[in-house]
Amino acid sequence: MVSTLLRATDTRSHKVAGFVVLFSVLLLVEGTTRVNLHVIPGGPWRGNHMIFPPIVALISAVGEMIFAFFGLCVGYFALAHGMANRLVVMVCLATQIVFGWFVFVVYVLAMPSFAAARTPAMPHLSASATKAVILMGLTGSIAVCAALQGGQFMFTNILLGYTTGKGKVQSTTLWRGRLYFFAFLVLLKGISEVVIGSIIKDHLGGGRLATPVVEPPFVITKAGLVIADGVWVTLVGLIGLAIAGHLDVLEDFTEMGSSPKPMIGAASSSASLEDRMNGLRGDAASVESTV
């Protein structure tokens, strides 16, 4: 297989590869954490009517580690060595689609829904407050999962454009839409964090809790701290929505998907320098003849 060599001076391709590495590392940490949570020696792997099957959660977590590590390798070679193979990147995208949707369905939809239908009221919380806490956890999980997996897939897909030798120009409209989408996810996460913190503060107070309230992705030990963080995240989401409407902020990204030529070479640079020198000689000759 022949790998495409990315232009060493093209900062856009390195930005794309860097984002692939960043999102892959975050997903790898999340997947590793989930594997450790669901490895239960001698545990009830099949689950029962009250326990979500741990084997399903474990397989999903391993799948997350697989596509995260795959993306990390692809991004690293593109970033550090300027190498990207079209077939390898396509396989990486395929694993992200297959395992990514499996992770999303299991951890974001199935497990919270299973828990919501069976979890009794939390200590010192009413049944309705418990349902609201679970709902906010579900909303936050959707936002975080969509942002992490969507970010990795988006930048890996753009990296694929650099391996074709053709690529396609990413329009400002497309990038603005992406920025609106991810800013909305940040806003959604912030709002859900403010709401869940407010519920806990209203029922349990704003000080340190004797027993943390855990509703992934939120772990609440101090409700006031969670509310403050949620307000900050909400502001960041609103700022992102405002930035999306300004063209000048997106100038550096509007053509990020357009591929450079597949091989590194200095011939074109030398030719253009020679043309400039010839032009200067011609101008000098014209001045001499005029004088």
Side-chain angles (χ1 to χ4, degrees):
M1 295 186 295
V2 179
S3 296
T4 298
L5 298 180
L6 305 178
R7 197 185 300 271
T9 57
D10 189 353
T11 59
R12 289 178 297 182
S13 64
H14 288 83
K15 287 179 181 178
V16 171
F19 277 116
V20 173
V21 170
L22 175 62
F23 281 106
S24 297
V25 168
L26 294 174
L27 287 166
L28 186 59
V29 171
E30 182 182 59
T32 304
T33 302
R34 286 171 168 170
V35 167
N36 286 308
L37 288 174
H38 295 290
V39 172
I40 309 173
W45 289 107
R46 297 176 60 182
N48 53 47
H49 68 286
M50 291 299 296
I51 300 176
F52 188 86
I55 187 64
V56 176
L58 180 60
I59 292 173
S60 178
V62 171
E64 184 174 16
M65 289 186 64
I66 291 173
F67 75 78
F69 184 72
F70 200 170
L72 178 61
C73 292
V74 169
Y76 167 77
F77 276 98
L79 179 63
H81 303 287
M83 298 177 60
N85 181 273
R86 184 170 183 269
L87 179 59
V88 172
V89 177
M90 290 179 66
V91 173
C92 182
L93 284 171
T95 60
Q96 290 175 19
I97 293 173
V98 175
F99 288 116
W101 273 110
F102 186 58
V103 170
F104 186 84
V105 170
V106 170
Y107 278 100
V108 178
L109 301 180
M111 290 182 67
S113 300
F114 186 93
R118 293 163 176 80
T119 300
M122 296 179 180
H124 308 294
L125 293 180
S126 63
S128 59
T130 299
K131 298 295 184 182
V133 167
I134 294 175
L135 178 60
M136 289 302 101
L138 174 61
T139 305
S141 294
I142 292 174
V144 173
C145 188
L148 288 179
Q149 294 184 201
Q152 187 200 38
F153 180 83
M154 180 184 71
F155 284 106
T156 305
N157 188 39
I158 295 173
L159 184 62
L160 179 65
Y162 284 95
T163 68
T164 62
K166 297 178 181 179
K168 58 181 180 180
V169 174
Q170 301 288 324
S171 67
T172 302
T173 302
L174 178 58
W175 271 103
R176 181 178 287 113
R178 287 170 171 168
L179 186 51
Y180 274 129
F181 173 70
F182 283 102
F184 172 74
L185 292 178
V186 174
L187 180 64
L188 188 64
K189 193 263 185 183
I191 293 175
S192 61
E193 192 169 12
V194 170
V195 173
I196 194 172
S198 300
I199 295 172
I200 299 301
K201 183 179 180 180
D202 183 58
H203 287 78
L204 303 178
R208 179 177 291 275
L209 302 178
T211 303
V213 175
V214 181
E215 190 60 46
F218 306 118
V219 178
I220 306 171
T221 56
K222 286 187 176 182
L225 185 61
V226 171
I227 294 173
D229 182 71
V231 170
W232 168 249
V233 174
T234 301
L235 290 175
V236 172
L238 292 173
I239 292 172
L241 292 174
I243 290 175
H246 291 78
L247 176 63
D248 55 338
V249 179
L250 301 175
E251 285 180 353
D252 192 43
F253 297 93
T254 51
E255 296 183 358
M256 188 175 279
S258 58
S259 294
K261 293 182 180 179
M263 298 301 292
I264 299 175
S268 59
S269 299
S270 300
S272 103
L273 179 59
E274 184 178 353
D275 290 340
R276 292 180 182 178
M277 293 299 295
N278 289 335
L280 291 175
R281 294 192 189 100
D283 292 341
S286 299
V287 171
E288 290 177 359
S289 63
T290 303
V291 174

